[in-house]
Amino acid sequence: MSEDDAVLYDYWRSSASYRVRIALNLLGLPYTRTPVDLLAGEQGGDNHRALNPQGLVPTLVLEGTALTQSLAIIEYLHERTAGSTLLPDDAAGRFRVRQLSYVVAMEIHPMCNLSVVRRVSDIAGSAEPTTTAWMQHFIGKGLQALEDLLALTDGPFCHGAVPTMADCCLIPQLYNAKRWGVETGRLARITEAEAAASALEAFQAAQPVAVGPLPD
């Protein structure tokens, strides 16, 4: 499988984009980045919507095909890459990794999406206090649920001894938690998984600070 033509359209702080960067790095698949400035609204422009009709990031253009939705992209790359461990070989293990991934991607993330939070702030008529309280509530609640689930699984990663799609989801969510002042120190299993992932170059190279911010 040749990935030499892979182009990732992403935003440096987008947690969904961050997940895909981690996965590409873990699989050793080369790619180039084309930044999409969410704050400037570039995701809604005609050029980007031609690639991603939802007007979202990330979009991975691979062998002429535009792939969207971060978890779908990660599973696609897993299925096409020999030796990938992003999902376990056994059905129970795959369920477990998907379960953990969905807590982040389908429970926490939608509530904290930029467009959702902006709408809440508009309705409330108060941006900063409302946004911070909203983020802290939903991120904190979601991470506590994830911690309780992780307590049922041996580490050091989210599911066993190697990083999986679940870790690709967890680490970007923890980046967001820190941005919004969510206390995570008491979450022992999450802290363990974070330490294991943070020691790997694949995770380090995918960090927002390593790829951004966008130039002024």
Side-chain angles (χ1 to χ4, degrees):
M1 171 178 169
S2 173
E3 304 293 338
D4 291 341
D5 58 347
V7 179
L8 180 65
Y9 292 80
D10 74 344
Y11 179 65
W12 67 290
R13 269 186 169 165
S14 158
S15 57
S17 300
Y18 191 173
R19 295 171 199 154
V20 174
R21 293 197 300 265
I22 294 170
L24 287 164
N25 292 345
L26 284 171
L27 295 174
L29 303 178
Y31 65 98
T32 58
R33 291 182 61 244
T34 298
V36 178
D37 190 345
L38 300 189
L39 299 183
E42 290 181 357
Q43 71 276 19
D46 291 343
N47 289 340
H48 188 68
R49 282 189 176 274
L51 290 174
N52 188 327
Q54 287 185 282
L56 300 173
V57 292
T59 300
L60 181 67
V61 177
L62 181 61
E63 298 172 354
T65 300
L67 309 173
T68 65
Q69 290 295 333
S70 61
L71 267 59
I73 293 171
I74 292 171
E75 291 213 32
Y76 181 79
L77 294 174
H78 165 76
E79 291 176 7
R80 293 191 50 169
T81 307
S84 171
T85 56
L86 292 178
L87 287 166
D89 292 334
D90 62 301
R94 290 193 298 275
F95 161 77
R96 180 67 171 160
V97 167
R98 289 184 176 117
Q99 177 193 42
L100 298 171
S101 300
Y102 294 174
V103 170
V104 174
M106 298 184 184
E107 299 295 334
I108 304 174
H109 185 186
M111 299 304 297
C112 299
N113 186 275
L114 179 62
S115 62
V116 172
V117 176
R118 280 178 171 171
R119 180 58 178 156
V120 170
S121 296
D122 288 344
I123 293 171
S126 170
E128 185 54 36
T130 300
T131 298
T132 299
W134 180 276
M135 292 293 201
Q136 289 180 348
H137 173 78
F138 285 105
I139 295 174
K141 179 182 177 182
L143 288 179
Q144 182 58 64
L146 184 62
E147 171 72 11
D148 294 341
L149 287 169
L150 287 177
L152 306 175
T153 305
D154 291 335
F157 294 96
C158 286
H159 182 75
V162 296
T164 64
M165 182 170 69
D167 300 281
C168 295
C169 291
L170 172 63
I171 298 306
Q173 188 57 66
L174 290 177
Y175 169 80
N176 283 339
K178 291 170 183 175
R179 277 188 67 202
W180 294 105
V182 178
E183 174 56 49
T184 61
R186 57 185 172 74
L187 305 175
R189 270 294 283 118
I190 283 178
T191 299
E192 179 187 27
E194 180 184 25
S198 297
L200 300 181
E201 173 63 23
F203 287 84
Q204 296 168 9
Q207 293 179 81
V209 69
V211 300
L214 292 167
D216 295 331

